[in-house]
Amino acid sequence: MNREATPHRLAADPMIDLPAGEIVLRDEGTMTDWTVEVAAFQLAPSPVTRELYASVLGKAPESSAGPRTPMTEVSWLDAVRFCNLFSQAVGLNPCYTMGDSRDAEDVVCDWSADGYRLPSEAEWEFACRAGSSEARYGELDEIAWYRGNSEGELHDIAMREPNAWGFHDMIGNVWEWCWDVYDPRVYGSYRVFRGGGFFDEPRGCRASCRRKSHPTLTIEDLGFRLARSR
């Protein structure tokens, strides 16, 4: 996988290039599988940190967590706004247009724009699995902070082993917002998040595990990771 740096003082860690491919997603509630084609894209090796979030917005919500921990207490709408602001700060074209809806029904993504955005859940799982069909890309205690080893605390990014493509913390530490609506017929505007958090049992820390909530939710174990189209 090739890496490309963003030439700006606010730059995140270099993004990782991923090739086009496909991924089989599974909803365990309905016991259904579906195949999604994934175009080539870029994804950040770690979640957005409190340090980066504050450098773009000028501040971050108060927390005892350190600057290199994943940004949490951030809603889906907050994450989308951050993507646009960061894109503008580094001279890229924002991906999102949005209005005032708390349900995010007026948020539109331009997938052809070169700015930062949230990954789709297909992109997220494609990157997380890194070619593997296993529940996880390694032994849980080696790759993730979860209930069994986190001592109930958030940890700095990239302290556990990465997957085969160089991605850290895709399992454990924090859940990560994705672009997708979970099931609009049943849950309305609820958005998907993936990956498991520092207080989750092993069952929640699997590549296929899907959770959802309203786009205004903020909680201590939910953050996000940056993606870009290629």
Side-chain angles (χ1 to χ4, degrees):
M1 296 295 159
N2 295 322
R3 293 172 180 259
E4 176 187 306
T6 305
H8 193 278
R9 66 183 181 86
L10 293 179
D13 291 336
M15 305 284 278
I16 297 176
D17 288 330
L18 291 101
E22 67 177 30
I23 187 75
V24 178
L25 302 182
R26 179 172 179 79
D27 183 274
E28 295 180 353
T30 59
M31 303 296 287
T32 56
D33 299 334
W34 64 101
T35 300
V36 180
E37 298 291 329
V38 177
F41 69 106
Q42 294 183 322
L43 191 68
S46 298
V48 169
T49 61
R50 302 188 71 81
E51 180 179 51
L52 178 60
Y53 194 88
S55 73
V56 174
L57 272 70
K59 62 179 181 178
E62 290 187 10
S63 172
S64 59
R68 293 291 291 169
T69 58
M71 182 63 208
T72 58
E73 300 92 26
V74 59
S75 70
W76 186 91
L77 287 166
D78 291 333
V80 165
R81 292 187 188 101
F82 174 88
C83 289
N84 273 0
L85 290 170
F86 190 23
S87 298
Q88 292 169 335
V90 297
L92 301 176
N93 296 303
C95 293
Y96 299 111
T97 56
M98 55 195 305
D100 299 323
S101 172
R102 283 175 49 82
D103 293 328
E105 295 169 342
D106 53 4
V107 179
V108 177
C109 182
D110 178 0
W111 296 85
S112 67
D114 64 356
Y116 293 105
R117 57 175 175 79
L118 297 178
S120 69
E121 70 165 322
E123 289 174 332
W124 187 95
E125 188 167 332
F126 182 73
C128 178
R129 288 191 177 279
S132 171
S133 61
E134 300 298 322
R136 305 177 188 92
Y137 50 82
E139 293 296 325
L140 188 56
D141 279 301
E142 297 177 0
I143 67 171
W145 297 111
Y146 72 109
R147 185 173 294 194
N149 65 8
S150 71
E151 299 183 347
E153 295 181 350
L154 195 62
H155 289 261
D156 285 359
I157 62 167
M159 299 297 290
R160 304 276 88 180
E161 291 295 319
N163 70 9
W165 291 351
F167 293 105
H168 291 270
D169 300 307
M170 298 207 76
I171 301 292
N173 215 9
V174 293
W175 293 89
E176 299 178 15
W177 285 115
C178 294
W179 162 256
D180 305 69
V181 177
Y182 186 86
D183 185 343
R185 296 168 300 176
V186 179
Y187 296 101
S189 61
Y190 276 31
R191 298 283 173 162
V192 173
F193 49 88
R194 294 297 212 103
F198 64 84
F199 203 63
D200 279 279
E201 299 283 2
R203 177 171 176 76
C205 297
R206 295 171 294 123
S208 62
C209 190
R210 306 173 73 228
R211 299 277 174 89
K212 77 281 186 187
S213 194
H214 193 268
T216 58
L217 172 75
T218 63
I219 197 168
E220 63 184 0
D221 65 348
L222 176 56
F224 66 104
R225 184 182 303 250
L226 297 172
R228 288 180 68 192
S229 299
R230 289 176 56 194

